[in-house]
Amino acid sequence: MEWGYVIGLLGVGLCVLLCGIGSALGLKKTGQAAAGILSEDPKKFSKALVLVVLPATQGIYGFVFGIIAMGSLAAGMSVGAGFQVLLAGLPLALTGFFSAMFQGGTAASCIHAVAKKESLSGKLILFPAMVETYAILALVISILLIF
């Protein structure tokens, strides 16, 4: 069995999986919050939509890393090379998982604020976007580590 390749695949799979799960959990929070405010005022759809989709980006980052990292995998690669791929994906896997959930909570709170004062929607994007910063930094580090 080619253990280096298997370990590398595990790293890619974990990164894509954890980023995707984190995004799904974050989207669950924002979707629930948006459904609540839209049931009372459907005109706030466009204001809520921007906040709803923000936690989806971590899943996209995991997917992008997965595509890039797959280029580093090769049959017959050493165990050390496999661990390099695994370890390169960990910063994004963990940061993407947690930041997507935390961003979902932050964005859900902002959606509730939009329900009370719609004019704040532009300013409120800043708060979940600040959480996003750490997922972007993790993506950059993971990509640098893969090379």
Side-chain angles (χ1 to χ4, degrees):
M1 180 165 243
E2 298 180 13
W3 286 107
Y5 186 75
V6 170
I7 293 167
L9 276 176
L10 178 66
V12 173
L14 275 174
C15 186
V16 174
L17 181 71
L18 289 174
C19 287
I21 291 171
S23 284
L25 293 171
L27 288 167
K28 176 187 173 217
K29 290 179 187 176
T30 58
Q32 289 171 332
I37 72 162
L38 293 177
S39 68
E40 294 181 16
D41 187 358
K43 294 177 194 167
K44 294 181 179 168
F45 176 77
S46 61
K47 306 272 184 182
L49 181 62
V50 174
L51 292 163
V52 168
V53 299
L54 283 175
T57 55
Q58 284 86 338
I60 295 168
Y61 299 157
F63 178 74
V64 167
F65 176 79
I67 291 172
I68 293 170
M70 288 300 291
S72 298
L73 299 177
M77 65 191 294
S78 70
V79 171
F83 273 112
Q84 180 184 359
V85 175
L86 173 66
L87 295 174
L90 284 181
L92 180 57
L94 296 173
T95 305
F97 176 74
F98 288 110
S99 69
M101 289 191 308
F102 297 152
Q103 188 177 46
T106 304
S109 296
C110 293
I111 290 167
H112 293 299
V114 166
K116 294 180 180 181
K117 193 164 186 177
E118 191 173 349
S119 64
L120 290 176
S121 66
K123 293 175 183 176
L124 291 170
I125 292 173
L126 177 64
F127 301 122
M130 290 168 58
V131 179
E132 178 88 19
T133 302
Y134 296 97
I136 293 169
L137 294 175
L139 172 63
V140 170
I141 290 299
S142 287
I143 288 173
L144 289 173
L145 289 172
I146 201 74
F147 297 114

